[in-house]
Amino acid sequence: MVHRSEVQQILDTAYEQAGEAVQRRFALLLRPPAPRLEAQALRVAIAVVLRGDDVLLVCRRGDGELRWQFPAGMVKPGGDPASVAVQETHGETGVHCTVRERLGERVHPATGVLATYYLADHLAGEAANLDPLENVDVAFVPRAALTRFIPQDQIFPPVLTALEATV
């Protein structure tokens, strides 16, 4: 609330003339300003899961098109992207993995979301489509055949570099 200047002057004078105990009590009544909420970009965490010479892919439904891509999941505000990558991979495919390293981040050219990529190692589990509403298929494909599923110009360059370095 904003008072008229005359009323504010009267209140300021009364506060200044009040004793220390009254000023402390008044200070306790003041509410701290509400935290300013900042808009956050939509974020996804993407797992590039390796099993020997194979890499894990999911075939997503969307916009009337089927697209092969690496398993991914939305990161809620305050969430840990690496944990989301591992959890979503397991939830969608049944594959347990562990993050080896963070490969980088970009605004995804097709979706416009902030995407964080992780290189991950297969620990256990066979690839299965556990999310048929979102995915049509799940498969481990040979790394050498990756660009038959995802055009090379659509793959984040640090992913390509990491896949070449781990052969």
Side-chain angles (χ1 to χ4, degrees):
M1 174 192 307
V2 176
H3 300 290
R4 290 190 330 232
S5 62
E6 305 85 35
V7 173
Q8 187 63 53
Q9 266 182 331
I10 293 168
L11 292 172
D12 290 343
T13 301
Y15 179 77
E16 289 169 7
Q17 292 174 354
E20 195 176 314
V22 172
Q23 288 181 358
R24 266 196 310 263
R25 231 180 17 250
F26 182 76
L28 291 173
L29 295 174
L30 292 177
R31 293 186 184 147
R36 186 167 181 213
L37 298 177
E38 297 288 330
Q40 293 188 355
L42 191 56
R43 290 186 69 144
V44 295
I46 299 171
V48 180
V49 182
L50 301 179
R51 182 182 71 180
D53 287 332
D54 296 334
V55 62
L56 182 63
L57 296 179
V58 296
C59 185
R60 292 241 194 266
R61 303 176 193 275
D63 301 333
E65 246 182 272
L66 300 179
R67 291 178 193 227
W68 285 95
Q69 63 185 52
F70 304 106
M74 295 291 192
V75 180
K76 294 179 182 170
D80 175 43
S83 296
V84 170
V86 169
Q87 292 164 359
E88 286 293 320
T89 297
H90 181 255
E92 291 181 8
T93 69
V95 169
H96 293 276
C97 65
T98 185
V99 168
R100 181 190 305 180
E101 68 179 285
R102 183 179 182 273
L103 297 175
E105 192 170 82
R106 71 171 173 171
V107 174
H108 196 280
T111 62
V113 302
L114 184 60
T116 307
Y117 293 79
Y118 294 92
L119 185 62
D121 294 312
H122 174 265
L123 295 175
E126 289 302 316
N129 187 6
L130 301 182
D131 190 356
L133 292 176
E134 198 168 304
N135 302 320
V136 175
D137 200 5
V138 172
F140 275 104
V141 302
R143 280 189 264 182
L146 178 61
T147 56
R148 290 187 209 154
F149 293 85
I150 306 172
Q152 184 166 341
D153 65 335
Q154 293 178 16
I155 301 172
F156 186 42
V159 169
L160 291 171
T161 300
L163 292 177
E164 290 168 3
T166 56
V167 174

